Amino acid sequence: MPRRFVAALEGMTLTDADIAALANDLDEASSIVWESYRSVGISLGLHDCWASAIKAPNGKISGILALYSRNQHKVADWPKKIVSGAVPFCGVVIEQYEARQHISQLANYDPLTGFLNRSSLHKVLKTMISQPGDNRFAVLLLDLDRFRDINDALGHIQGDTFLKAIAERLKTLCRSNYILSRSGGDDFVIVIPNATAETAVNFIKATTEAMQRPLEVAGNHLSASFSTGIATFPENGPDGESLISHAEVAMRQAKKEARGSYRLVSTVDTKEAQDRLVLGSALRDALAKGLLNLHYQPQIEARTGEIYGVEALSRWNHPTLGNIFPSRFIAVAEETGQIEAIGRWSLEEACRQITQWERDGVHIPVVSVNLSAGHFHNRSLVPMIADLLRKYGLAPERLTVEITESVMMDESDETMNVLSAIRKLGVGLSMDDFGTGFSSLSRLTRLPLTEIKIDRSFIMNLETDPNAQAVTTAVIGIGNRLGMTVVTEGVETEAQYDLLESLHCDVLQGYLFAKPMSATDLEIWYREPRKLMPAMKKGSDK
Ligand code: C2E
Ligand code: MG
Ligand code: MG
């Protein structure tokens, strides 16, 4: 085909009128692609044209197939036959192509905004990272502020319209090489190639300003505000996954401090988040391999110096790092969803150990196990404890579950039901670290508690701080009156012990008597109690 003729036809589209005419008569096609081009065609040596509209199998007119001839004389009717023979195949091919386009659109793009969806964004980031040379870029995570209010006020359909309008405006603010993505919800991710944090900050400042111009949604004038987290490659993470998750942490921080603001991922945050990730997966591994164990700390009856029970405390025996303390890994377990597994494991291990001790002639009346708040949303905790008691043939009074004030603060029926069900089994319920949270005394009376543990911070200052002494005295009084056993944690000195005994505290736990120790060490300690218990010494002094 002469290049000039191609240029003349290029970009030609069928109008609605054309399509209506073609649907009536497929041969109308030649009037569209030839009649008004005839003089150009002839000047370029094209003398005739055979054309037919292409009808896809679904009946839609999807194009025109035209055959042009340089021959000045009519050539029988074979060109016409070629056209009519080829047209049905063209229809099928075009329809398949459109279907494939549609599927790929669905798979790769967010249908609402036409931006990349999450999985294609990750693919793009992967390609960008694998590029050699200067491949730095910035990732901006923009989270719309108060979108839920807009959704609630206007309904989801108008909420979508608002998102669409925002997307359109964002697009006008971005250069053509920026990558825009929406992963659902009210989060947008914008990737700026070859950008430093400074470029990203300038962009977000301009965007914030431009977004203040209101958008019209169903007659309402709404302006959009975003909280933004900004991460840069390679400083803030080695892959798309970590860059986006760090940008998310920074975005949350921005939202907390001031809506509509932005925050850069700091390398400190990145390091901490990476540590948590590493620790989390190492913990999963440790749990599977049985590298966690329990240490036991004795609790002593203040009046008699007899052993009241032990508290089971988790230890993670790391092959190279040694014993890792719960202050480091319990929070990680809570964040990475492993705390329930740890709870189930420690309950079983504690029940197994107390029966094992019993068989070995070591009588430990009660073992206390710490459980985090998350456990109490799960109804399966109760049958699980019942099964354990049955399995080890253990009387329910031999087990106590320690809960924290965050469990006590949770007023949901679910939690209350689980707590009462545990208590109904006959298992003890202890309020750990009492006095550190914001729980009220009135809630104490409404929970089925058997025990309160006064937090170590009060005992620490007991001798010097009259406030700590007042609180301790009051809690011991209330606990006793409510029929609960009062335990004090962190008793380290004989002076504290004397004072607590005079305040009629029931049970004492702390380094003064013994540190948490392995099951074997506890057995040794048990067999020679006098040597280690000043309570006994004191008792004999009297
Ligand atoms: P907690 O339940 O209040 O446990 C008492 C903590 O105080 C223990 O720390 C214990 O070693 C320490 N301690 C005891 N006596 C003294 C003392 O005289 N002086 C001082 N300075 N400290 C004393 P540990 O073992 O590091 O446990 C820390 C916390 O981790 C526990 O506090 C408990 O809340 C949590 N925890 C431990 N094991 C588990 C577990 O298996 N599951 C859950 N959810 N939490 C656990
Ligand atoms: Mg405890
Ligand atoms: Mg405690």
Side-chain angles (χ1 to χ4, degrees), residues 179-285:
I179 295 147
L180 288 136
S181 148
R182 171 178 172 260
S183 51
D186 55 355
D187 277 355
F188 292 88
V189 174
I190 299 176
V191 180
I192 310 184
N194 303 317
T196 57
E198 200 187 339
T199 325
V201 166
N202 289 336
F203 170 77
I204 205 68
K205 280 183 182 160
T207 305
T208 306
E209 201 180 301
M211 280 294 171
Q212 275 163 5
R213 252 187 313 121
L215 295 157
E216 201 191 310
V217 177
N220 299 288
H221 293 273
L222 306 170
S223 58
S225 126
F226 287 105
S227 300
T228 306
I230 302 172
T232 52
F233 176 79
E235 295 83 2
N236 299 144
D239 51 34
E241 199 96 16
S242 56
L243 288 166
I244 289 176
S245 81
H246 294 150
E248 202 172 329
V249 173
M251 177 276 287
R252 291 236 178 80
Q253 198 70 31
K255 192 159 283 223
K256 210 164 73 187
E257 282 162 15
R259 283 168 202 270
S261 66
Y262 66 87
R263 201 171 186 270
L264 294 166
V265 172
S266 81
T267 34
V268 181
D269 297 344
T270 314
K271 180 85 183 53
E272 272 175 16
Q274 267 163 1
D275 282 355
R276 269 203 302 276
L277 273 180
V278 170
L279 208 61
S281 70
L283 181 59
R284 188 158 290 134
D285 193 49

Side-chain angles (χ1 to χ4, degrees), residues 311-313 368-371 402-403 432-433 453 489 509:
E311 174 173 10
L313 296 156
S368 295
V369 174
N370 293 282
L371 291 183
E402 291 193 8
I403 61 174
D432 201 358
D433 304 338
K453 298 182 79 172
E489 299 184 291
Q509 176 181 347

Side-chain angles (χ1 to χ4, degrees), residues 297 311 314-315 326 370 372 432-433 456 489-490 492 510-511 516:
Q297 186 176 31
E311 174 173 10
S314 301
R315 296 290 180 267
N370 293 282
S372 294
D432 201 358
D433 304 338
R456 184 159 61 87
E489 299 184 291
E492 293 185 358
Y511 293 170

Side-chain angles (χ1 to χ4, degrees), residues 80-219:
K80 201 173 175 179
K81 280 188 184 156
I82 293 180
V83 169
S84 59
V87 153
F89 296 106
C90 295
V92 171
V93 170
I94 291 175
E95 193 184 63
Q96 276 182 357
Y97 173 77
E98 284 179 342
R100 267 203 299 274
Q101 286 280 89
H102 184 61
I103 290 168
S104 115
Q105 179 82 20
L106 286 182
N108 297 320
Y109 296 90
D110 165 41
L112 187 71
T113 59
F115 290 177
L116 292 180
N117 62 19
R118 186 199 302 260
S119 69
S120 15
L121 173 68
H122 279 283
K123 272 185 224 145
V124 171
L125 289 177
K126 210 167 168 180
T127 321
M128 289 175 78
I129 288 171
S130 64
Q131 227 116 67
D134 183 11
N135 58 352
R136 70 197 143 122
F137 58 85
V139 176
L140 293 85
L141 190 121
L142 291 79
D143 185 276
L144 203 51
D145 296 324
R146 303 185 198 287
F147 180 56
R148 196 192 299 181
D149 293 347
I150 289 171
N151 247 342
D152 287 350
L154 303 180
H156 286 269
I157 294 178
Q158 297 307 342
D160 279 359
T161 313
F162 184 48
L163 285 175
K164 228 163 142 172
I166 288 172
E168 269 153 29
R169 183 162 298 168
L170 275 180
K171 210 162 153 186
T172 64
L173 298 167
C174 288
R175 297 216 176 142
S176 61
N177 64 335
Y178 290 16
I179 295 147
L180 288 136
S181 148
R182 171 178 172 260
S183 51
D186 55 355
D187 277 355
F188 292 88
V189 174
I190 299 176
V191 180
I192 310 184
N194 303 317
T196 57
E198 200 187 339
T199 325
V201 166
N202 289 336
F203 170 77
I204 205 68
K205 280 183 182 160
T207 305
T208 306
E209 201 180 301
M211 280 294 171
Q212 275 163 5
R213 252 187 313 121
L215 295 157
E216 201 191 310
V217 177

Side-chain angles (χ1 to χ4, degrees), residues 390-452:
R390 216 170 303 129
K391 176 171 171 189
Y392 291 101
L394 214 56
E397 311 80 61
R398 308 279 306 269
L399 180 67
T400 287
V401 168
E402 291 193 8
I403 61 174
T404 56
E405 276 181 288
S406 58
V407 178
M408 173 153 144
M409 301 277 286
D410 175 0
E411 307 225 355
S412 72
D413 289 348
E414 215 174 20
T415 299
M416 281 304 281
N417 289 342
V418 171
L419 289 176
S420 326
I422 291 177
R423 191 58 208 110
K424 270 203 200 100
L425 288 176
V427 170
L429 261 188
S430 175
M431 175 84 259
D432 201 358
D433 304 338
F434 186 73
T436 51
F438 300 94
S439 54
S440 67
L441 287 176
S442 74
R443 272 205 61 75
L444 259 191
T445 61
R446 273 182 279 145
L447 285 174
L449 297 171
T450 54
E451 191 180 282
I452 315 179

